[in-house]
Each structure stands twice: as C-alpha cells, then as structure tokens.
Amino acid sequence: MCGDCKNFETIAVHGSCEWSENTGSISVPIYQTATFKHAGLSQSTGYDYSRLQNPTREELEKTIARLEGGKEGLAFSTGMAAIDAVARLFLPGDHVIISDDLYGGTYRLFEDVYKNYGIEVTYVDTTNLEEILKAIKHNTKAFYIETPSNPMMKISDIKKISELARNNGVITIVDNTFLTPYFQKPLDLGADIVIHSGTKFLGGHNDTLSGLLVASREDLIEKLRFAQVSIGATLSPFDSWLIQRGIKTLPVRLEKQQQNAIEIANWLKECSEVEEVFYPGFKENKGHEICLRQASGFGSMLSFTVKKKETVEKILGNVQVISFAESLGGVESLITYPYLQTHAAIPEEIRNKIGVTDKLLRLSVGIENINDLIEDLNKSFNK
C-alpha cells in the first residue's frame, strides 16, 4: 500500500494501492475472464471464478471501503442488487424501520418481495427520533435511512439514529448515494452498513449500472458476502473498471455540481412559477443544521414544486440542455418527474403525504456551464 495516499482526493485517484502487476500499468487492468487456471491440485492463485472473486472488482471493493472508512466493500450489478443483499440479512418475523421518503424501487422491494417472506416493515419520518422510537418493536432488527432522502431532501441525524439503534440492539443502514463518502461518511457517525447506487455519482457518467455496500462489522460482511456470491449479482470486470475510473474524478465533479446546484436552487427560489425548492443548503431547510454537522457539503440534488400542474409538462417538454430522464449523479444534468417515474411504485396516498405530488420535479445538476443551465430552465418555463 502506498502510505502517502491519506487524503480523500488522493485515494480516489490511486485506489486501494494494493493491486499490482509487472507491466507498470497506471490503470487497473480489466480481468475480463470468467474463470482462472490452476497450476495443479490444491494450487490456486487466489482466484477461481469471477462470480466469487475478480481482481478488477476487488480493487473497486477495496477502494470504496477505504473511502467510506469501512472494513470491506462489496460490488453488485445494480444498486437494487446491493439493497437485496442487505434485505437478506433479515429472517421471517423480523421487523425493519425505513424512511418514509425513499426511492420507489426500495419501497417496491420490501413491499412486493420481502413482505412475502415474512419481513415486516414500518415507514416513518426518520428526521423525527420520537417516531422511530415509537415504531420499535421486540422484533425490530434494523433502521434503514436515506439522507438526504429521495426526492424530498429530508435530513436524518445519522449519529443520533445510530446511537438509538445500538441502545436497542439493532443495526443502522444508510443509503449514502446522494452525498457519497466525499461529503458524508455514515460509518464514522455510527452506522453499520452504507449503501450506494454506484450508477449515480460514483460512476458519474450515466454509462453503467452498479451497486456498492460497505460494512464496519465482520459478522455483517460475512453474511453480505455470502448473499453476494450465492445469488450471483456481482459486478462485471468491465463495469467495475468504469466505476473505478469514475471515482477518480469524484471530488472534482461533486464540487462543480454542488456549485451549479446552489446557483440553480437560488434561481428557482426567485422564479414566480415555483412554489417551493427543497435543497439542504438552504438555511430554512429543516435539516440544514444537521447536514452541517454530519456532512461537508450539500450535494447537487434538489427538488421543487411548481404552482400549476401544467407547468410540469411545459418544463419537461421544453428543456434542451437538461435531459428529461431518470437516474441522477452524472456529469449531464437530468430532470425527473418522481410522481410517474422513480416513485410510481409507491401508493398515491403515501406519495401525497410525503410531498411527492404531481407538481414535484427532481433535478440532478451536472457540470455544464451554469449560464447554459439557467438559460435552459428560463426558456423551458417561458415557452
């Protein structure tokens, strides 16, 4: 290991510094192989089959573990595959408390898949510790939180929730997709497992799918690794290389994206057709002070509601620089309509209760020139 790689930006560029080969390659090689040759009986290179282990994927797993400050990382074919591995920690009769404002795919997984296997779920506003406390049962095994939440940008106090979890003998799972370890490190705040949709900011270019987990406890790592290799939704060598390459520019991209997001959030705030803007960087945001304590940035995700429903269709039909598309976190700015896209799986009454109405839009701000982005928004509002 190169001992001089101590700061985040340097680790992001150089990775774990544990891989080696004798060509002098600066880029981690793509070991595009399904299987590995053995010299003889009971003689192994340490690699047998790429579902079980692959040097390219291992480098990514070690890198994300190092960036998050965890013991080990695990790379999956998608973010949902990573969440599925976490869900497999629970047994029939177990109870999980989950943020009520969360990605629709996560809701669908627990409601339509794991409830059939006897996993009980309660959705609460995890920004309110009293609500979490009231929801705890004798069979509660975990708190699962998104912070900032998707799409309402609600901030949950990771440190206090983790303390509450430890006092009640349960684990804390944090989806850190929106801020990444560059801005927020849940394990340092007491969480046990961190989840990423690596498709988003870690990959950063809207060109590949991946999911990542990092854990701080050996017992959890053992169970998660067993689920990973047994189910087989492991990340391919080439996609592992793409995510590793994306991580190299993560700090630079996030700083630029955040800078753009702050300007756009302020512009939207002054727009006569906008009703409300949801962004953790605003002092009036309910979780602003918590975000200041537990994170070093506010990120580049924001949501806003418009005063008239017709404005939604007008914006989505007129944006040119910003793309009307699902997903987030890439260098290209994307605008999404959660009501019918990312959160369509959530029942309408729940969507309306948490604020995911038919007048809400979510914006993932990219690295384009800020003047082009604001001009694009201005034209889309006024056409």
Side-chain angles (χ1 to χ4, degrees):
M1 176 165 310
C2 43
D4 291 336
C5 291
K6 297 176 182 176
N7 295 300
F8 191 98
E9 294 86 347
T10 309
I11 297 169
V13 170
H14 291 277
S16 74
C17 299
E18 292 185 20
W19 71 275
S20 63
E21 45 82 67
N22 53 19
T23 68
S25 175
I26 296 297
S27 176
V28 176
I30 303 171
Y31 289 88
Q32 194 64 44
T33 182
T35 190
F36 298 84
K37 181 180 179 180
H38 302 300
L41 186 63
S42 301
Q43 298 180 49
S44 173
T45 62
Y47 299 96
D48 304 307
Y49 189 61
S50 275
R51 173 169 55 82
L52 305 177
Q53 68 275 100
N54 179 281
T56 313
R57 188 173 74 242
E58 281 189 352
E59 171 60 16
L60 172 61
E61 292 177 332
K62 290 175 181 176
T63 297
I64 191 62
R66 197 172 177 201
L67 292 174
E68 281 284 10
K71 288 187 179 295
E72 283 191 36
L74 299 89
F76 297 80
S77 55
T78 67
M80 290 310 304
I83 297 171
D84 177 75
V86 170
R88 291 176 187 275
L89 293 173
F90 311 119
L91 299 173
D94 286 347
H95 174 243
V96 184
I97 295 172
I98 304 182
S99 298
D100 59 359
D101 180 34
L102 81 164
Y103 171 55
T106 306
Y107 176 89
R108 181 173 59 241
L109 182 71
F110 279 96
E111 285 294 308
D112 298 339
V113 178
Y114 280 99
K115 269 197 174 179
N116 295 327
Y117 295 99
I119 308 301
E120 184 185 355
V121 175
T122 301
Y123 301 95
V124 304
D125 179 0
T126 52
T127 66
N128 188 327
L129 291 176
E130 287 299 318
E131 284 199 27
I132 300 174
L133 193 58
K134 288 178 184 177
I136 296 174
K137 301 181 180 184
H138 71 280
N139 57 336
T140 302
K141 301 298 180 182
F143 301 153
Y144 182 114
I145 63 175
E146 285 186 8
T147 184
S149 65
N150 181 8
M152 302 307 297
M153 310 299 153
K154 291 160 69 175
I155 306 297
S156 297
D157 193 320
I158 299 171
K159 187 174 183 179
K160 288 185 177 179
I161 291 172
S162 298
E163 288 173 355
L164 183 62
R166 283 194 299 275
N167 291 339
N168 286 274
V170 305
I171 63 172
T172 303
I173 304 157
V174 179
D175 189 320
N176 198 29
T177 298
F178 274 17
L179 289 185
T180 82
Y182 180 66
F183 283 139
Q184 180 174 268
K185 292 190 176 183
L187 297 180
D188 287 352
L189 297 164
D192 300 291
I193 299 172
V194 173
I195 297 175
H196 288 281
S197 173
T199 308
K200 312 305 192 293
F201 289 100
L202 296 178
H205 292 80
N206 293 319
D207 58 6
T208 190
L209 302 174
S210 78
L212 295 162
L213 297 178
V214 182
S216 61
R217 286 170 38 183
E218 293 290 353
D219 59 327
L220 294 175
I221 292 165
E222 184 179 351
K223 292 176 182 178
L224 292 168
R225 184 73 72 183
F226 179 81
Q228 181 196 37
V229 300
S230 298
I231 303 303
T234 49
L235 193 60
S236 74
F238 181 63
D239 288 326
S240 297
W241 183 84
L242 284 174
I243 301 298
Q244 185 78 25
R245 183 180 66 167
I247 288 174
K248 290 178 183 289
T249 59
L250 180 65
V252 180
R253 287 187 284 106
L254 287 185
E255 289 290 351
K256 175 61 176 175
Q257 286 172 281
Q258 178 176 250
Q259 179 186 339
N260 281 349
I262 291 170
E263 293 203 40
I264 289 175
N266 283 310
W267 182 87
L268 287 168
K269 206 180 197 182
E270 301 301 318
C271 182
S272 61
E273 295 188 63
V274 172
E275 186 173 61
E276 189 172 3
V277 181
F278 304 94
Y279 183 64
F282 287 153
K283 289 183 179 179
E284 62 269 26
N285 183 288
K286 185 179 176 182
H288 178 76
E289 291 300 321
I290 297 173
C291 198
L292 284 176
R293 290 200 304 270
Q294 69 185 19
S296 59
F298 304 111
S300 60
M301 295 299 303
L302 61 92
S303 294
F304 63 97
T305 51
V306 292
K307 294 176 180 177
K308 298 178 181 179
K309 184 182 175 182
E310 310 86 76
T311 307
V312 169
E313 187 172 354
K314 183 169 67 169
I315 293 170
L316 297 179
N318 289 327
V319 285
Q320 298 294 320
V321 178
I322 300 169
S323 296
F324 173 30
E326 295 193 45
S327 200
L328 58 99
V331 291
E332 301 90 355
S333 294
L334 306 178
I335 193 165
T336 302
Y337 189 39
Y339 191 77
L340 294 180
Q341 291 182 295
T342 56
H343 290 66
I346 299 176
E348 185 174 9
E349 63 271 19
I350 298 178
R351 276 180 280 163
N352 288 331
K353 179 184 175 182
I354 62 177
V356 185
T357 69
D358 57 5
K359 294 192 290 185
L360 179 81
L361 290 164
R362 190 192 71 190
L363 185 59
S364 171
V365 183
I367 66 169
E368 301 95 338
N369 184 281
I370 187 60
N371 295 320
D372 291 333
L373 293 174
I374 289 178
E375 183 180 358
D376 190 40
L377 283 170
N378 188 41
K379 286 181 178 178
S380 71
F381 273 99
N382 295 304
K383 273 190 179 179

